[in-house]
Amino acid sequence: MRIAKLLLITLAVSFTSSLLAAERQAEGNIAVVDFGKAIFGTEVAKTRLKQKKGESSFAALQAKYESTVAEMKALKQEMDTKGMTWSTEQATEAQKKMEFLRADLELITRKIQTDQQALQNSIVQELRPKAGEALQELIDEEGIVLLISAEAVVTAAPSLDVTAKLTDRLNKKTQ
């Protein structure tokens, strides 16, 4: 009976120590990645973004946005400084003009956001397959057993973040 107890305790201790060793090994193989940051940090993505900003249609939208904002600021300043001396008609006209400018600004903003979203989607569609391959290679080489999305992590040691490694690997794959 004593031998059985001793054998059971020895078995439990060896099982616990093997579990602890496996846990220690797994801790070293945990990583965090920001997939979006890795994709948009590539040279391909930076080039596409730069090209988009250089397009005449996008530049025209940006210029229209900036001029509308400037016009709104000037009108607001004029309303603040001279508004007290204006007739009801003048004040109403200024208010209408401000409403029109605000509507224009919202429309321009939506157009810019739509263009940017379309560009981001096309970059992700283009790079997603290669990014998946690069990520799998990184997982295999680093022996990662648990990969966590950076968006789901509150805090992590910088040494666990493999985003830069993924970006570098993706840059090599897209050259």
Side-chain angles (χ1 to χ4, degrees):
M1 191 73 158
R2 260 184 153 184
I3 295 175
K5 282 184 182 179
L6 187 58
L7 186 60
L8 188 59
I9 290 172
T10 306
L11 188 61
V13 168
S14 68
F15 180 71
T16 304
S17 65
S18 66
L19 276 178
L20 288 174
E23 186 176 306
R24 266 188 246 111
Q25 181 185 6
E27 283 178 15
N29 298 324
I30 295 172
V32 176
V33 69
D34 186 335
F35 203 67
K37 185 177 178 183
I39 286 177
F40 290 107
T42 63
E43 292 305 315
V44 170
K46 289 176 184 176
T47 301
R48 299 279 189 291
L49 290 169
K50 193 180 235 183
Q51 287 171 345
K52 183 67 174 177
K53 287 182 179 179
E55 288 179 5
S56 62
S57 61
F58 189 79
L61 274 176
Q62 283 291 105
K64 177 75 173 152
Y65 176 87
E66 291 167 7
S67 70
T68 304
V69 168
E71 198 174 340
M72 285 178 73
K73 285 180 182 178
L75 181 59
K76 172 81 169 104
Q77 186 177 6
E78 186 178 6
M79 288 170 71
D80 289 346
T81 57
K82 298 178 182 176
M84 297 291 282
T85 62
W86 287 348
S87 68
T88 307
E89 226 174 72
Q90 287 174 315
T92 303
E93 260 326 291
Q95 199 62 34
K96 273 191 213 176
K97 186 173 182 180
M98 185 63 85
E99 297 281 327
F100 289 140
L101 288 171
R102 195 170 288 125
D104 285 348
L105 190 64
E106 287 176 16
L107 181 62
I108 294 165
T109 301
R110 273 189 261 134
K111 285 179 181 179
I112 290 172
Q113 288 172 342
T114 301
D115 280 357
Q116 288 176 336
Q117 188 65 45
L119 177 63
Q120 289 173 353
N121 289 341
S122 72
I123 290 170
V124 169
Q125 290 298 336
E126 178 184 348
L127 295 180
R128 180 179 280 146
K130 288 183 182 181
E133 289 173 19
L135 184 60
Q136 189 58 52
E137 290 170 6
L138 192 60
I139 288 169
D140 294 341
E141 284 178 18
E142 300 272 330
I144 297 169
V145 294
L146 179 62
L147 183 64
I148 305 170
S149 172
E151 292 86 22
V153 175
V154 175
T155 184
S159 61
L160 296 177
D161 191 351
V162 295
T163 303
K165 290 178 182 178
L166 179 58
T167 300
D168 290 341
R169 188 174 294 266
L170 195 49
N171 276 329
K172 290 174 186 167
K173 284 188 162 294
T174 55
Q175 287 180 342

